[in-house]
Amino acid sequence: MQSAEEENVAPRMYFIPFPTPGHALPMSDLARLFASRGAEATLVLTRANAARFGGAVARAAAADLRIRIHALPLPAETAGLTGGHESADDLPNRELAGPFAVAVDLLAPLFADLLRSQSADAVVFDSVLPWAATAAPELGIPRYAFTGTGCFALSVQRALLVHSPQDTVASVTEPFLVPGLPDEVRLTKSRLAEATLPGAHSREFLNRVFDGERATAGWVVNSFADLEQRYIELYEKETGKPVFAVGPVCLVNSDGDDTMERGRGGEACAAAEAARVLTWLDTKPARSVVYVCFGSLTRFPREQVAELGMGLVDSGMNFVWVVGDKNAAPLPDVEDDAAVAGRGLVVMGWAPQVAVLRHAAVGAFVTHCGWGAVTESAAAGVPVLTWPVFAEQFYNEALVVGLAGTGGSVGAERGYVWGGEESGGVVVRREMVAERVRATMEDKGLRQRAEEVGERARRAVEMGGSSYEAAGELLDDVRRRRRERAAEPGNK
């Protein structure tokens, strides 16, 4: 049995994300969140990502939070991965995705050895790293899966995999009802994640994820009760495991330096680029700018990039467009178009998204509906124009547009296969882009609902709010399990 002194020892929690910004950033926020609540947090990253995401952790540690990074070497050469790539967004083509996945799986024994050498009370692992749920099982450490998306999308995905309603329709454009949900949700095959389609190779991976559920003590979700309470309850019921909805975790970032270099670490150009974007926004009236960004993994065909750019020009609105490293094709008639002078800012690479969304000049966000973008816009109270591309992003769109009412759709009826975008052609034409951007920016009701959700998100993470309480409940669960382990024969 633990003594009173041992009971008061800070819970030692290890956090391990899949190595790509859309997973590492919220997991970094999560580690900082629990450190701020009294835990001793260790963020486990590959060496290159430790440098990339380490700035915020170092500042938090300097502010007396018990948080640190433990860096693991990625076994790239063993997996046949060349080029020094340690993050999915750094892969130049889909052909390297296989070796990269193998390299990530080879982290399993290194992580297990780390746990054996440390005194850990809990592991919070990325749900797409199912091996982390079973690493060093002899230690009996409770494992909590960080889902990476919300409970609505998880519930939709589970229903599709269990019931397969998509197999009953005759065409990819025929709507079907997703069964077993609290709301009427209709999708088409053209809007489904690749893993749910017949013959998909990624189903094997999803089966591994489901197998990992048996070793999972609960789910940690970057969401909040006011956004999807019924789906939090449904996912608990379906999986038989508690859900700790502790988000939006980006709200732990109140330090200006953290938002200014978020995801770019110590890169010399990051601060200058962030300052350039925010200085430009300072010159614009309140709620007059549409911010356009599709995350770190989206690669549009050249024709779609051009259609998007000209649609922004034709909309007549001020815009900041983050083209992204993977979409840096020539942009004819956009950057040099006289109509854009002073009205549009094209960013070829990266922008400080959280800081941009919080800026008073931003009135709407054109997004791929990755869950990080959804929660960041919700936290900022900014309405979104949804343009899903792949994975569960169409499910997130259904939540934002159909249930939360904080966004409108750009009209994408299908997405792209990641790595095969060039064969996908144009999904949304410039005329639609222009019309939908104008409509979203001018919709006062949409803006009001988004601002109300933003206020509820901020209340959720404050003392006494639903997310604040959920974080406390998870810490209580970790302490309870620690007591139980200490009371087991041989541990006294």
Side-chain angles (χ1 to χ4, degrees), residues 14 16 44 70 72 105-118 120 123 131-139 141 143:
Y14 282 72
I16 180 166
V44 182
H70 183 93
L72 294 176
D105 277 352
L106 290 176
L107 288 171
L110 302 180
F111 183 60
D113 288 344
L114 170 64
L115 295 180
R116 292 187 184 101
S117 69
Q118 305 293 318
V123 169
W131 47 259
T134 54
E138 72 276 9
L139 299 178
I141 303 168
R143 320 300 169 100

Side-chain angles (χ1 to χ4, degrees), residues 299-303 416-417 419-425:
R299 297 162 167 85
F300 278 148
R302 172 183 285 191
E303 293 81 4
Y416 293 99
V417 174
E421 293 88 349
E422 281 300 329
S423 63

Side-chain angles (χ1 to χ4, degrees), residues 310-372:
M310 293 312 299
L312 293 173
V313 172
D314 294 348
S315 74
M317 298 292 169
N318 296 324
F319 63 87
V320 172
W321 177 22
V322 183
V323 176
D325 298 326
K326 305 300 185 298
N327 295 306
L331 302 173
D333 304 320
V334 176
E335 288 185 280
D336 299 328
D337 195 298
V340 182
R343 191 167 57 75
L345 180 65
V346 177
V347 180
M348 304 299 290
W350 166 88
Q353 182 157 293
V354 168
V356 169
L357 289 172
R358 293 176 182 176
H359 198 285
V362 173
F365 178 21
V366 181
T367 172
H368 62 310
C369 279
W371 190 243

Side-chain angles (χ1 to χ4, degrees), residues 139-313:
L139 299 178
I141 303 168
R143 320 300 169 100
Y144 302 86
F146 182 67
T147 62
T149 192
C151 285
F152 174 83
L154 290 169
S155 298
V156 170
Q157 177 174 275
R158 191 178 187 87
L160 293 172
L161 290 169
V162 172
H163 302 293
S164 299
Q166 64 273 24
D167 295 345
T168 66
V169 294
S171 72
V172 297
T173 58
E174 182 182 343
F176 60 85
L177 181 68
V178 181
L181 303 181
D183 299 282
E184 184 175 292
V185 176
R186 294 185 181 276
L187 292 169
T188 62
K189 276 189 178 181
S190 63
R191 300 165 120 176
L192 299 187
E194 218 178 324
T196 59
L197 298 175
H201 296 300
S202 46
R203 279 199 177 204
E204 179 183 354
F205 170 76
L206 283 173
N207 288 336
R208 289 170 57 200
V209 172
F210 284 153
D211 288 342
E213 289 181 1
R214 291 194 295 270
T216 300
W219 311 102
V220 185
V221 184
N222 181 19
S223 188
F224 56 104
D226 272 340
L227 183 63
E228 50 172 11
Q229 178 62 38
R230 288 180 298 170
Y231 292 91
I232 292 171
E233 294 170 355
L234 175 63
Y235 206 65
E236 285 186 325
K237 178 182 176 182
E238 291 290 328
T239 65
K241 303 291 177 69
V243 172
F244 303 95
V246 299
V249 295
C250 66
L251 287 173
V252 76
N253 272 299
S254 57
D255 185 281
D257 289 337
D258 291 349
T259 58
M260 290 286 276
E261 70 169 45
R262 184 174 169 81
R264 286 296 177 179
E267 293 182 20
C269 62
E273 184 69 337
R276 181 175 79 95
V277 174
L278 296 176
T279 298
W280 188 88
L281 286 171
D282 287 341
T283 68
K284 303 303 175 188
R287 303 293 179 254
S288 70
V289 178
V290 58
Y291 171 62
V292 185
C293 183
F294 292 87
S296 58
L297 291 179
T298 300
R299 297 162 167 85
F300 278 148
R302 172 183 285 191
E303 293 81 4
Q304 184 64 85
V305 174
E307 289 287 305
L308 168 57
M310 293 312 299
L312 293 173
V313 172

